[in-house]
Amino acid sequence: MADAVPASGTVHWIGAGLSTGSGLASLCGAAARVRVWHRTEERAGEALAALGLSGRAEPRAYTPEALAAELAPGDVVVSMLPAPEHGPLLAVCVAARAHFACSSYVSDAVLDQVPAAEAAGVTVLTEAGLDPGIDHLFAHSLIARASEAIGPETAASYTLTSYCGGVPAVPNDFRYRFSWAPAGVLNALRSPARYLADGAETTAARPWEATRPHVIDGETFEAYPNRDSVPFVDQYAPPPSWKPLTFVRGTLRLDGWLTAWAPVFEELRGGDDARIAALARELAARHPTTEADRDRVVLEVALDVRAGSGESWTGRYLLDLVGTAEESAMARLVSRPLALGVRHILDGSLPAGLNRAAETGERSEAWLAELAEEGVEFTLRVG
């Protein structure tokens, strides 16, 4: 692993939208200096005031050029921007030998720059939010625990399911509350989902058509596969002697969502990009989020391992959090693990090059313990 440029102690938080929460506050206590960049300096100041951080961080008007002018080697840039903007922002960081962190999946645009980042001593932290992020920590922890219990050389088959959803704390007729941009929600549903079922790769061209009931502690949800689960078999690195039967990473919705969204699905089947963009605006106007609304985040990761000898191991992590007037559950659960990762960049414990929140069972256990100490509550059941 390459040596990283020593951290300067300055953090640049780029974007202060729906997912910016108390993780930013924790960095204001851990970093020597924090700058919050938003569309305008006034908007950045308003975001800081809403979080009770006025005077603890410096507001800035964001443009790539303005950021580049203030970046110094060893600074840490935290991107809360949409995923397509991460590649260009990382290029700015590599040129300045500044570290980079985000909560999003690794894109090709980011991956292409990893060799240059490593050569420059730049740490690139990705997948360090909720989903992806905490879900990875749970999965790595479960696999490490099962491997220790059954033995990494023991031939076995396993089922791993990882479902996460942001839903209304009080169910509404629409059975949903937009916790991120409606256009992003709709476009995710337009993307095929690939996963393993009965030991074989399966693709759902329209993910919602693979929706199934999913019961958690007596409460029925609706769950469907999301994105491409298959690469995560290797990323989670179960023992080579284990064979996956079912491996699904997907999305949770409230019971009744499939019926409530039937008109939306009809639009998704036939609409072009322009129509879907218009639909996103219509849904945002028709189902606005008010100050009185509270969101709820439910994340369940479960592992069931069956050895040929008849031995078995099961484990499950469950996180179920309702937002408050001060902070949404989504903002808390995206920003806190991301801030934890940034603090590990600041203390020099992450190497240069590509890092994800979870890469080993050992690191996952350590980060989960730190998150628990900071008030991110979850439960583990083994039996």
Side-chain angles (χ1 to χ4, degrees), residues 85 98 120 166 219 249 254 321 326:
E85 298 186 46
E219 181 178 0
R249 300 180 73 255
L254 291 177
L321 180 68
E326 293 74 31

Side-chain angles (χ1 to χ4, degrees), residues 1 123-128 136-137 140-141 144 340-341 344 349-351 354-371:
M1 292 188 289
T123 298
V124 180
L125 174 64
T126 63
E127 300 182 13
H136 291 348
L137 298 173
H140 276 274
S141 171
L340 173 61
H344 284 304
S349 61
L350 293 182
L354 182 64
N355 295 262
R356 295 176 173 89
E359 294 187 336
T360 65
E362 183 179 8
R363 182 197 286 180
S364 296
E365 294 289 352
W367 283 34
L368 286 173
E370 290 178 272
L371 288 172

Side-chain angles (χ1 to χ4, degrees), residues 34 98 246:
V34 176
T246 298

Side-chain angles (χ1 to χ4, degrees), residues 301-342:
V301 181
L303 176 65
D304 185 352
V305 184
R306 306 281 169 171
S309 61
E311 188 178 6
S312 65
W313 187 94
T314 61
R316 183 195 74 161
Y317 275 103
L318 176 63
L319 183 158
D320 191 342
L321 180 68
V322 173
T324 65
E326 293 74 31
E327 180 181 29
S328 72
M330 189 65 69
R332 182 184 186 89
L333 295 173
V334 171
S335 68
R336 290 211 172 189
L338 182 55
L340 173 61
V342 172

Side-chain angles (χ1 to χ4, degrees), residues 99-183:
H99 307 297
F100 175 87
C102 72
S103 62
S104 300
Y105 289 99
V106 181
S107 67
D108 289 341
V110 167
L111 200 58
D112 288 345
Q113 296 182 68
V114 168
E118 187 167 2
V122 169
T123 298
V124 180
L125 174 64
T126 63
E127 300 182 13
L130 166 65
D131 173 9
I134 297 177
D135 57 342
H136 291 348
L137 298 173
F138 286 169
H140 276 274
S141 171
L142 290 173
I143 288 170
R145 289 169 181 267
S147 179
E148 183 177 357
I150 289 182
E153 305 300 325
T154 303
S157 60
Y158 72 94
T159 291
L160 188 146
T161 58
S162 178
Y163 290 116
C164 183
V167 300
V170 178
N172 54 23
D173 291 341
F174 193 49
R175 316 304 287 173
Y176 189 70
R177 174 189 186 273
F178 287 108
S179 55
W180 58 302

